[in-house]
Each structure stands twice: as C-alpha cells, then as structure tokens.
Amino acid sequence: MFDTPDFDNHEEVVSICCPRSGLQAIIAIHSTALGPALGGIRCWSYESGMAAIRDALRLSRGMTYKNALAGLDLGGGKSVILGNPATARSPEALRAFARAIDRLDGRYVGAEDVGMTVADIDLMRDVTPHVAGTSWGASASGDPSPHTAEGVFLGLKATVKAATGSDDLTDARIGVMGLGAVGWKLAEKLYEAGATLLVADINVPRAVRAAAHLKAEIVDAKRLPFEEMDVFAPCALGGVLTRDFAENAPVKMICGAANNQLATSDVDGLLWEAGKLYAPDYLVNAGGVINVAAEAGGEYDAYRVGMKVREIGETTARIIETARTGDQPTGAVADAMALARITEAEEEVVEAQG
Ligand code: NAI
C-alpha cells in the first residue's frame, strides 16, 4: 500500500472485517490538516482487495483537494465497502460499518456516494453521529445534487465569461453528457438561460425526455465530445477528456460535474496548449459536498450553503485569470491553490505542537 502512487502520505488507513455480517470495508483518511476528513462511502464490487484500497486512496486524496479549494474547514477522506451494492449493504453490515466509523471519534465523516442511498445513511446515523446526508432531523441536508448542479452552472457561466467577455448563454451550444441527478438539473438551467442543448445518455428515455422538454438534440454518447459546440459538460463518468479530445475536439470550453474527467494528468496541459478552457472538475462539482458539510457542522443553514456555492463561480474566474497570467493549465493552478491552503494548515499544526 505504501508504494502505490495514490498513497501520498495518507494519515490513516483502516481495514474493517466483520465475519458475522460479511462486511469488508476500508476507511482512508488522507488529511485532517484543515479539519475532520469528510468524504463519501462507496459500495462497489471491486476486482480485488488491492483495487479497493487504490480506489479509496485516490478518492480520499481527491477529497482533501476538493474540500480545501471549496474553502471548507474539512480534511479529505473516503471509505469503500467491498461487494455488490445489491447484497453488501445489509442492515447488519451497515451497522457494523457505522460502529467502525464511530471508533474513529469524528476524524472521518461519511456521506452518500456511488452504491449508497440516503436510507443507508439514515440507518447508520442511529449508530454514529459521524455521517451526513440524512433525510431527517433538524440539520438534515438531503439530496446534494441540486447544489452540485448549481455550482457547475455558476462555474460554467464564469468560464464562458472568461472566454467571451459575457456570461450570456443565449444560443450558446452546450453538450451535456449524462442526464442523471446532476446532468438533468444542469440541462434545465442551461435551457432556461437560452442555451441550445446537445445531449447524450445511455439511458435512452432520459435523452428522449430532454429532447421533448428542453428542445435538445440527441447525440450518440461516443460522438458528443467531438461535436461542434461552445461548452462540453461531462456529467456521467470520469476519464472522458483524453489526449484525442484535447487535440481534435472542436470544443472551446469544458465544465461539468463528473469526477476525474482528465483521462491522464497530462491532458490538463494539452487542453491548455490547445486553447480549450477547462474548469477543474473538483472545483465546479463541490456544491454537493458544501451542502453535506453544512450538515456535518451540526447547523444546516440553506442561506449560507447558497452563498458558499456561489463562491464556485468566483473561484473559477480567479483560477482562469491566474492560469492566463502565469500561462499555466487551469488544473495545475487549482491543485496549487488547494495545496497552499493545506500546507499552511499543516504548518500551523506543527507550530501549535511546538
Ligand atoms: P447519476 O448516476 O444520477 O447520473 C449519471 C447519468 O449518466 C445517468 O443518467 C447514466 O445513464 C448516464 N451515463 C452513464 N454512462 C454514460 C455514458 N457512457 N454516456 C452517457 N451517459 C452515461 O449520477 P449523478 O449523481 O448525476 O453524478 C454525475 C457525475 O457527477 C458523476 O461522475 C458523479 O461522481 C459526479 N458528482 C456528483 C455529485 C452529486 O451531488 N450527485 C457531486 C459531485 C460529483
């Protein structure tokens, strides 16, 4: 584990095994320099235990950067439950997992991610206070996806403004890949703002609904990134921004919700060299974690969440400006800004410890 590139000095990695419930899980805490490590719980059928460890490490490190750049006083962590989501989430297994989170005494706070539901979190909340994204209670934050969509929309407008001088989306051609919880809400906002939509989803009825309700043109999912358009908004899977895309797609800007959009880290530089403005994914999709963080903080305040999500647009503009000034790719600028906050907090901890 120490030798995997994703390990990157994780503070703590815990493996959990409960033979009675069949639970096998990993909790990875990358950094608590800025506060408790907040990150989702993923339930997935991994090829191997090592694949699960790698995924937990990669995602946990990503949360450190996402939370830092969003200006949250939270560190980064992530957990994975190994197994088929249809069978690995028995109430007994979830309770055993909640007990494991509880033993960490608040150093890790879990929330929904792929393969988990709000009902699962509600069940775990009966065992430990260190989960967020519940559906009931005074500070329940509920569904994060509208907040994610709002953040992406604001990031997209800031990107368009940086490229064209105006954030007016009337007649802008925008391709939305993936019309799920976030993609659909984003597409609605773009339509209301006057954009012309191209959409793709492997769930055909969703694409057909977008054609009917949002006057969208349906495009094959593989072809969509290479269509003639102003903005490409990946809202399905990661890895869609490839070398081929950077070099050949006639797209001017990229801004979407999907995590880990860059197929390889060098694509960040290739997009910059090709004159394609990329709004870093973990910056613009932070609306959901901002919402969950408000619940984890114990006092959910919808107004403050809204204000914090609005900052995503401002940070996007600042990152693009800095990238232009230093002729540096936007992803690299975002990483450097997040890292500066983390390093400063680490130095304060060292100083406080004398
Ligand atoms: P979702 O599961 O509700 O929607 C994903 C959609 O993409 C589905 O409609 C699915 O059919 C479609 N899809 C899957 N593979 C596709 C392909 N190859 N081509 C075209 N469409 C495809 O997921 P959700 O919640 O909307 O999340 C979307 C992305 O945003 C994910 O990458 C997720 O990790 C990321 N994200 C979501 C957040 C949230 O608040 N839900 C927060 C931050 C990131």
Side-chain angles (χ1 to χ4, degrees), residues 16-315:
I16 301 117
C17 196
C18 172
R20 207 143 54 101
S21 65
L23 173 75
Q24 285 191 325
I26 296 154
I27 301 172
I29 298 177
H30 179 246
S31 168
T32 56
L34 287 166
L38 174 72
I41 304 164
R42 178 168 290 192
C43 182
W44 196 250
S45 309
Y46 290 98
E47 278 171 19
S48 64
M50 200 57 216
I53 291 174
R54 272 201 297 270
D55 202 36
L57 293 174
R58 184 179 59 90
L59 293 165
S60 152
R61 179 180 182 275
M63 286 310 299
T64 299
Y65 281 72
K66 185 187 289 203
N67 292 342
L69 198 59
L72 300 171
D73 291 330
L74 289 165
K78 198 89 182 184
S79 59
V80 297
I81 295 176
L82 286 72
N84 184 334
T87 52
R89 293 150 50 234
S90 68
E92 206 183 4
L94 291 177
R95 274 194 283 269
F97 189 49
R99 284 195 295 276
I101 291 179
D102 204 57
R103 285 195 292 275
L104 292 169
D105 214 13
R107 289 200 299 290
Y108 169 70
V109 180
E112 292 96 344
D113 193 54
V114 176
M116 294 287 289
T117 65
V118 174
D120 295 336
I121 302 296
D122 283 347
L123 187 149
M124 293 173 70
R125 183 69 179 75
D126 286 339
V127 179
T128 178
H130 306 304
V131 286
T134 54
S135 66
W136 55 270
S139 83
S141 62
D143 181 8
S145 58
H147 305 276
T148 306
E150 175 68 5
V152 175
F153 180 67
L154 295 170
L156 189 147
K157 282 187 38 139
T159 308
V160 170
K161 186 164 186 190
T164 67
S166 159
D167 66 0
D168 183 2
L169 299 181
T170 314
D171 297 330
R173 273 173 73 81
I174 303 181
V176 181
M177 181 182 234
L179 296 163
V182 181
W184 179 269
K185 292 183 190 82
L186 175 67
E188 278 181 330
K189 285 172 189 288
L190 296 170
Y191 173 70
E192 280 159 21
T196 302
L197 296 176
L198 293 84
V199 296
D201 198 302
I202 50 170
N203 181 327
V204 176
R206 284 187 185 166
V208 170
R209 199 153 64 97
H213 293 283
L214 311 174
K215 296 198 183 100
E217 181 188 335
I218 302 174
V219 181
D220 175 75
K222 285 204 178 71
R223 262 191 36 222
L224 180 63
F226 295 90
E227 286 289 314
E228 191 84 43
M229 57 192 164
D230 298 298
V231 190
F232 174 44
C235 296
L237 305 175
V240 282
L241 305 181
T242 58
R243 171 177 280 268
D244 186 23
F245 173 87
E247 289 171 354
N248 299 311
V251 172
K252 300 186 191 85
M253 293 159 260
I254 305 105
C255 179
N259 277 311
N260 301 321
Q261 291 170 26
L262 301 171
T264 47
S265 55
D266 61 330
V267 173
D268 185 29
L270 295 174
L271 289 170
W272 184 252
E273 280 163 29
K276 294 179 171 69
L277 215 41
Y278 162 62
D281 49 12
Y282 70 84
L283 161 66
V284 297
N285 73 14
V289 79
I290 289 170
N291 191 56
V292 171
E295 176 178 339
E299 275 175 43
Y300 185 78
D301 179 337
Y303 175 75
R304 282 165 79 174
V305 168
M307 294 302 286
K308 196 94 193 133
V309 172
R310 286 180 83 92
E311 286 175 18
I312 291 176
E314 290 149 27
T315 310

